[in-house]
């Protein structure tokens, strides 16, 4: 059964339907649909709200839906509530909708995006570094365990909207990087999920920042399969529901039976389909 | 097959009319009774009463209220349906210095220093009241002119010298399901810097369906 929102980003106040298969294991979902102010709320209700620091901004400017980072590493989106106890099985997924300002940054300070880890140069994630290769430290403990020199998919234009996913579970080949649900690389997943340092979702207060735009970020305590990620590519927001009260919304009636086209009028369509 | 026509209120419902919120003062609270309605969109916004940076953003909390606000054990539920936090960085301010008529996009001001395309602005009576209060988004700037992305609602004369400040926070409309009283809180919290703010919350309620 399809959810209410599918490809359209739901407004603040929309409810996460935990019974939807696409909601499996979701710990936090930053929709960035507030359009103004300094708070990016966790739409799950779990309270992992992010707060802006520095020059992170709404896109395309104030009043936009989604975020943009200037690069340079002087700003960020920080979650203060601890996430460390949320991954009891050692599994996790972090799923971004994003696009970079440049496919390959001219300077390292524009190549990062802080994937929930410490920010020293040797433990930073780059997507990609100035050499065009990616480096990932998300969910990993120990600088020596960063996954280095990853060749990204040539078929995915990083300056266009796309999905980037990092998944992990213990065992050989279970730490995986995906672009648009296609496997990029795999390594050994550590026994536990580790989130170190300040819990920043986007950008960094140190010297490596994010230059680009982010549509949404999903964090789960399960390792999504390629098939699940593919579903999220097709319908990234279908786990959210429009609250239904009226008797005209009979059981089983999908969005096509809705008496007025408010979804299209109220909020923008996901940029992958809107051509933004 | 029956035709179903939804009815939303055409005139916005004032949940919290435009008013000032003072730092270190009591949070402001407004309520909206949706107990006999399908739901509502809530429109919340904050204008800056000065140009200083705020040490902490003003929080806006939208919550469902149990027992229709009557005193009952355990009926206070502090978790919000939606929450926002206003802008904190220092802003810029100026005044209307040439009469700018309603229906036009051009707001003529003494200075555009510190203003930029994409800014959200508040235009407030020069006397600090709310007769001609309006919020807008700046499309572009040029010398002595803020070009807005939609026409002015009110005429702002040079004599009135209405105040214009950026760094307003105009949040996306929030959908709240009906069947309950809803409260909207504006809270300056423990901020130690920041001038008085202007806040407002309005609603567009989904009252009924007409089936013919």
């Amino acid at each position: 059964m399809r959810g209410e929102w599918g490809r359209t980003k739901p407004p603040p106040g929309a409810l996460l339907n935990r019974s939807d298969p696409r909601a499996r294991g979701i710990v936090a979902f930053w929709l960035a649909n507030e359009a103004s102010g300094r708070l990016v709320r966790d739409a799950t209700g779990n309270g992992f709200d992010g707060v802006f620091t520095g020059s992170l901004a709404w896109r395309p400017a104030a009043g936009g839906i989604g975020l943009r980072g200037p690069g340079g590493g002087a700003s960020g989106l920080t979650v203060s509530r601890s996430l460390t106890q949320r991954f009891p099985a050692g599994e996790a997924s972090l799923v971004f909708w994003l696009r970079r300002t440049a496919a390959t940054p001219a300077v390292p300070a524009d190549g990062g995006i802080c994937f929930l880890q410490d920010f020293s140069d040797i433990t930073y994630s780059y997507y990609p570094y100035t050499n065009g290769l990616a480096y990932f430290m998300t969910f990993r403990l120990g600088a020596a365990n960063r996954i280095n020199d990853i060749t990204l998919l040539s078929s995915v234009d990083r300056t266009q909207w796309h999905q980037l996913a990092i998944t992990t579970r213990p065992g050989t080949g279970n730490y995986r990087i995906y672009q648009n649900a296609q496997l990029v690389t795999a390594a050994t997943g550590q026994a536990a999920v580790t989130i170190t340092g300040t819990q920043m979702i986007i950008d960094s207060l140190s010297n490596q920042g994010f230059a680009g735009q982010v549509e949404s970020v999903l964090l789960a305590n399960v390792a999504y399969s390629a098939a699940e990620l593919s579903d999220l590519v097709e319908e990234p927001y279908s786990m959210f529901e429009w609250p239904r009260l009226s008797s005209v919304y009979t059981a089983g009636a999908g969005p096509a039976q809705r008496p007025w086209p408010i979804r299209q009028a109220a909020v923008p369509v996901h940029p992958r389909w809107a051509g933004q | 097959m029956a035709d179903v026509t939804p009815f939303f209120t055409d005139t916005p419902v004032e949940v919290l009319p435009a008013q000032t919120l003072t730092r270190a003062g009591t949070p402001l609270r407004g309520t909206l009774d949706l107990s006999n309605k399908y739901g509502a969109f809530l429109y919340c916004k904050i204008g800056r009463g000065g140009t200083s940076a705020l040490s902490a953003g003003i929080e806006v909390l939208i919550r469902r209220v149990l027992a229709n606000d009557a005193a009952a054990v355990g009926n206070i539920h502090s978790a919000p349906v939606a929450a926002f936090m206003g802008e904190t960085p220092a802003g810029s301010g100026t005044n209307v210095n040439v009469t700018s008529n309603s229906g036009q996009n051009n707001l003529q001001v003494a200075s555009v220093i510190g203003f930029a395309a994409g800014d959200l602005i508040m235009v407030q009576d020069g006397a600090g009241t709310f007769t001609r209060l309006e919020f807008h988004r700046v499309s572009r700037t040029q010398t002595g002119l803020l070009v807005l992305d939609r026409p002015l609602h009110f005429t702002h004369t040079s004599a009135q010298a209405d105040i214009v400040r950026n760094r307003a926070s105009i949040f996306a409309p929030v959908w709240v399901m009906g069947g309950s009283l809803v409260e909207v809180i504006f809270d300056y919290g423990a901020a130690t810097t920041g001038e008085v703010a202007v806040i407002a919350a309005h609603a567009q309620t989904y009252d009924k369906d007409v089936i013919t």
Side-chain angles (χ1 to χ4, degrees):
Chain A
M1 174 182 159
R2 297 297 192 194
E4 291 292 298
W5 291 97
R7 298 173 178 179
T8 305
K9 188 182 279 193
L15 303 175
L16 178 66
N17 177 8
R18 288 282 182 187
S19 66
D20 188 299
R22 290 172 183 78
R24 187 172 80 94
I26 292 180
V27 170
F29 206 143
W30 297 278
L31 291 171
N33 57 3
E34 291 81 0
S36 191
R38 312 298 287 177
L39 181 74
V40 177
R41 191 159 190 254
D42 168 15
T44 66
N46 284 340
F48 296 110
D49 300 340
V51 176
F52 280 50
T53 52
S55 52
L56 200 68
W58 299 95
R59 74 166 185 85
I65 304 288
L67 305 172
R68 61 191 163 97
S75 56
L77 181 67
T78 304
V79 175
S80 56
R81 186 177 186 193
S82 174
L83 285 157
T84 55
Q85 301 300 315
R86 297 289 172 152
F87 307 94
E91 294 190 27
S93 297
L94 190 61
V95 183
F96 285 83
W97 273 103
L98 80 167
R99 63 179 175 183
R100 306 299 310 230
T101 302
T104 299
V107 294
D110 288 348
I113 174 169
C114 187
F115 297 112
L116 291 169
Q117 87 276 301
D118 231 335
F119 331 127
S120 66
D121 285 347
I122 58 169
T123 59
Y124 206 86
S125 293
Y126 292 95
Y127 179 68
Y129 192 67
T130 53
N131 58 5
L133 302 175
Y135 300 77
F136 283 98
M137 189 65 192
T138 306
F139 303 137
R140 299 182 75 80
L141 182 64
N145 291 316
R146 184 170 70 173
I147 311 300
N148 295 325
D149 301 327
I150 302 164
T151 300
L152 296 165
L153 299 180
S154 59
S155 58
V156 176
D157 181 348
R158 294 185 294 275
T159 66
Q160 300 300 311
W161 288 106
H162 65 284
Q163 182 203 64
L164 170 68
I166 304 122
T167 71
T168 187
R169 63 186 170 88
T172 303
N174 291 334
Y175 184 88
R176 298 177 180 177
I177 308 297
Y178 297 87
Q179 289 177 290
N180 284 342
Q182 300 169 71
L183 183 64
V184 175
T185 192
T188 300
Q190 294 185 321
V193 170
T194 303
I195 294 176
T196 57
T198 306
Q199 297 183 147
M200 302 199 83
I201 307 302
I202 302 168
D203 220 317
S204 163
L205 287 176
S206 74
N207 59 342
Q208 310 298 13
F210 171 72
Q213 300 184 26
V214 172
E215 163 76 10
S216 63
V217 185
L218 183 164
L219 177 65
N221 62 8
V222 293
Y224 287 146
S225 66
E228 287 176 302
L229 292 170
S230 182
D231 276 353
L232 289 171
V233 168
E234 291 304 314
E235 296 205 356
Y237 306 123
S238 61
M239 65 291 283
F240 287 93
E241 289 211 327
W242 182 272
R244 281 182 281 190
L245 276 185
S246 170
S247 60
V248 300
Y249 308 142
T250 53
Q257 283 74 46
R258 190 168 304 290
W260 79 103
I262 196 162
R263 291 196 308 161
Q264 288 75 11
V267 289
V269 172
H270 190 282
R272 179 179 168 86
W273 292 277
Q276 295 179 34
Chain B
M1 183 177 170
D3 291 326
V4 180
T5 305
F7 270 76
F8 277 79
T9 49
D10 193 32
T11 305
V13 178
E14 282 193 332
V15 181
L16 275 165
Q19 59 194 286
T20 54
L21 174 67
T22 308
R23 182 170 54 80
T26 304
L28 295 174
R29 175 181 186 260
T31 58
L32 175 66
D33 187 358
L34 297 178
S35 55
N36 293 309
K37 301 180 189 303
Y38 288 136
F41 276 108
L42 281 168
Y43 298 75
C44 302
K45 43 191 173 272
I46 301 170
R48 300 287 285 270
T51 57
S52 304
L54 280 64
S55 61
I58 295 169
E59 292 187 82
V60 184
L61 304 169
I62 298 164
R63 303 191 286 228
R64 296 176 74 81
V65 178
L66 287 163
N68 199 30
D69 219 12
V73 174
N75 75 342
I76 296 173
H77 191 80
S78 300
V81 173
F84 301 109
M85 181 186 289
E87 286 283 341
T88 55
S92 299
T94 186
N95 293 85
V96 176
N97 68 341
V98 176
T99 297
S100 303
N101 292 320
S102 63
Q104 68 175 33
N105 289 48
N106 293 347
L107 187 64
Q108 301 193 67
V109 294
S111 169
V112 296
I113 294 173
F115 289 83
D119 277 359
L120 300 177
I121 63 166
M122 178 186 71
V123 187
Q124 184 186 10
D125 306 6
T129 50
F130 310 111
T131 309
R132 296 178 298 279
L133 181 72
E134 50 188 309
F135 288 79
H136 285 281
R137 179 179 172 277
V138 175
S139 172
R140 60 186 170 85
T141 67
Q142 60 189 66
T143 304
L145 182 64
L146 297 175
V147 179
L148 310 177
D149 71 2
R150 55 155 298 154
L152 289 162
H153 273 297
F154 301 104
T155 294
H156 303 273
T157 69
S158 57
Q160 290 164 338
D162 285 346
I163 301 161
V164 182
R165 294 194 188 95
N166 66 1
R167 290 288 185 187
S169 300
I170 306 172
F171 305 108
V174 180
W175 173 253
V176 183
M177 193 164 77
S180 169
L181 191 75
V182 172
E183 66 181 5
V184 180
I185 309 283
F186 285 79
D187 183 6
Y188 221 127
T192 54
T193 63
E195 292 98 344
V196 67
V198 176
I199 62 94
H202 295 86
Q204 196 176 45
T205 60
Y206 176 17
D207 294 349
K208 61 185 177 182
D209 290 330
V210 173
I211 303 173
T212 56

